[in-house]
Amino acid sequence: MFGNLFGKFSKDLAIDLGTKNTLVYTEEKGIVINEPSIVVVNARTDEILAVGEDAEKMVGKTPSHIRAVKPLVEGVISDFEVTEKMIKHFINKVHSDSFTITPRPRMIIGIPLDITEVEKKAVEDSAKSAGARKVHLIEESMAAAIGARLPVSEAVANMIVDIGGGTTEIAVISLGGVVTSRSLRLAGDVFDNNIIEYMREEFNLLIGNQVAQNIKIKIGSATPLKDSLEMEVKGRDLLNGLPKAVTINDTQIREALSKSINQIIDSVKTTLEKTPPELVADIYEQGIYLSGGGALLRGLDKELAEATKISVRIVDDPLTSVVRGTGILLNDAELLDKVLAPGEEEEL
Ligand SMILES: Nc1ncnc2c1ncn2[C@@H]1O[C@H](COP(=O)(O)OP(=O)(O)OP(=O)(O)O)[C@@H](O)[C@H]1O
Ligand SMILES: [Mg+2]
């Protein structure tokens, strides 16, 4: 009875706790939070100074007793306490916008595919201490596929490749479950590091992560472009410590990224090799779907299509597909029951 009563008044939440971005979705309003997964902490007092967008502005500019913490690394929680505080902060922000009575909400949270029991429990516990009444965990690949409106509960193969900041998750889904999968701890952050390394080796130029990410987004690509792109990059000359600017082009950045891109492509191929033939036939018909921020890298879809001989599509709004898929489950108990992460079924 109380469950129903709470259910009626509380705002249940769908959360994509990403390495790079945290998104929160409510049934009533859709996506209500979409901010970087960063928290700025005063190390002397343990006080939280800023979270999300506000915290991002401070990265690299803090004095020594103030730390900018990214509580998730490679898709999993690395700092439990800070994660809990971050979730709490975002939930308060959601609830402060409304005048309704808001008892403890139910939360559905996306988790990576190859997460350990301990890592799973960390997600559950941090959500509970942040105020969740009940926590359901769902695999992010499944959520991304649901967000892309793929027929996940039918007897047909859906292949989804989600390239985030920390992990690339490759999954073949059929009849509400993941049939074959591969999870790589290689995604957008590694691309950025590849660019940092390239700039150091080729130009003796030291650049930060933010600059590297800008280069990737502005001129990065996985396949040769029709029109060449170039940009000026500023950093520190490692030889004399002084500021220096160099101009780089898409060919150079493609070279910097090629090893990582090939690793992702090889993993997709390996996953296809492990997939039962009937399902491979389906994938050949349906194509491969790309989601996550990494899906936006120029020409990645084309390169993957050429390597696999299968058509590749980028899902609509790839940066929000996981949270939108998780959000759909807030109001679809039947589908939620079918697609909960393994080991979570008894939670209902
Ligand atoms: N236009 C773009 N081109 C290339 N990469 C992009 C683009 N836009 C965003 N990205 C990259 O996408 C990544 C973030 O994607 P996303 O928000 O899906 O990750 P996440 O869900 O936080 O991480 P994870 O799923 O690994 O925990 C970042 O590495 C970012 O640099
Ligand atoms: Mg993600």
Side-chain angles (χ1 to χ4, degrees):
M1 176 203 164
F2 281 117
N4 275 341
L5 194 66
F6 281 144
K8 206 166 179 145
F9 290 110
S10 72
K11 272 201 189 148
D12 290 342
L13 303 173
I15 302 179
D16 173 9
L17 201 54
T19 308
K20 207 80 185 173
N21 301 298
T22 295
L23 290 83
V24 181
Y25 179 109
T26 66
E27 229 185 293
E28 195 190 354
K29 293 191 180 152
I31 297 168
V32 283
I33 301 279
N34 183 354
E35 299 197 33
S37 307
I38 304 177
V39 179
V40 170
V41 188
N42 182 333
R44 285 191 198 135
T45 60
D46 261 356
E47 191 192 349
I48 301 279
L49 301 178
V51 181
E53 270 163 17
D54 297 336
E56 191 184 39
K57 290 182 200 136
M58 302 181 189
V59 171
K61 297 173 188 168
T62 54
S64 61
H65 68 286
I66 293 177
R67 286 190 310 139
V69 184
K70 294 185 179 166
L72 287 113
V73 175
E74 295 176 341
V76 298
I77 294 178
S78 74
D79 190 325
F80 179 81
E81 266 173 48
V82 173
T83 304
E84 176 200 321
K85 286 177 179 158
M86 185 175 80
I87 299 177
K88 216 178 241 169
H89 171 92
F90 288 142
I91 293 171
N92 287 341
K93 208 166 164 180
V94 173
H95 287 157
S96 68
D97 286 344
S98 82
F99 298 102
T100 49
I101 312 162
T102 49
R104 295 150 65 81
R106 191 168 61 110
M107 295 184 201
I108 309 180
I109 306 182
I111 51 165
L113 283 164
D114 73 342
I115 185 169
T116 65
E117 285 305 312
V118 175
E119 289 164 343
K120 234 190 234 179
K121 197 162 176 325
V123 176
E124 234 175 274
D125 289 352
S126 56
K128 283 198 171 144
S129 12
R133 172 175 98 247
K134 187 148 211 158
V135 181
H136 303 293
L137 303 180
I138 169 163
E139 287 153 328
E140 281 158 358
S141 306
M142 180 65 79
I146 294 171
R149 306 274 174 182
L150 301 185
V152 294
S153 42
E154 287 172 28
V156 57
N158 303 280
M159 184 171 211
I160 186 123
V161 179
D162 180 287
I163 306 170
T167 58
T168 294
E169 310 246 297
I170 304 161
V172 176
I173 294 167
S174 172
L175 289 169
V178 173
V179 182
T180 43
S181 69
R182 191 91 197 257
S183 181
L184 296 178
R185 300 200 165 186
L186 181 165
D189 285 346
V190 173
F191 296 167
D192 299 346
N193 287 335
N194 292 153
I195 294 174
I196 293 175
E197 224 168 278
Y198 183 88
M199 296 307 288
R200 192 173 47 218
E201 280 170 12
E202 297 294 315
F203 300 104
N204 280 313
L205 190 73
L206 182 68
I207 58 168
N209 290 80
Q210 201 63 43
V211 173
Q213 178 172 260
N214 283 344
I215 298 172
K216 173 183 72 180
I217 292 176
K218 270 200 167 149
I219 68 167
S221 65
T223 201
L225 304 175
K226 233 176 26 212
D227 299 310
S228 173
L229 295 171
E230 61 174 43
M231 70 183 279
E232 189 185 59
V233 177
K234 297 188 186 93
R236 182 169 41 230
D237 189 337
L238 283 165
L239 299 179
N240 60 18
L242 295 174
K244 178 167 100 170
V246 299
T247 301
I248 48 161
N249 61 38
D250 61 285
T251 310
Q252 290 164 314
I253 298 307
R254 208 157 40 247
E255 191 186 324
L257 299 179
S258 68
K259 203 167 143 214
S260 297
I261 303 286
N262 285 336
Q263 248 172 293
I264 291 178
I265 291 176
D266 284 347
S267 297
V268 173
K269 284 187 181 166
T270 317
T271 311
L272 281 166
E273 280 163 23
K274 284 191 306 181
T275 302
E278 280 80 5
L279 296 180
V280 173
D282 282 352
I283 296 168
Y284 196 79
E285 292 276 310
Q286 314 278 325
I288 298 171
Y289 289 82
L290 282 183
S291 79
L296 293 169
L297 184 73
R298 276 175 206 83
L300 184 56
D301 48 348
K302 190 169 163 227
E303 200 65 16
L304 183 60
E306 262 167 32
T308 56
K309 308 279 178 259
I310 297 174
S311 67
V312 176
R313 253 164 287 183
I314 301 170
V315 306
D316 285 342
D317 200 2
L319 282 154
T320 64
S321 45
V322 169
V323 85
R324 283 185 291 108
T326 315
I328 287 172
L329 296 173
L330 286 174
N331 200 25
D332 192 337
E334 203 182 317
L335 186 58
L336 177 64
D337 193 20
K338 272 191 205 151
V339 303
L340 275 177
E344 296 300 311
E345 295 85 353
E346 76 282 6
E347 284 278 318
L348 271 183

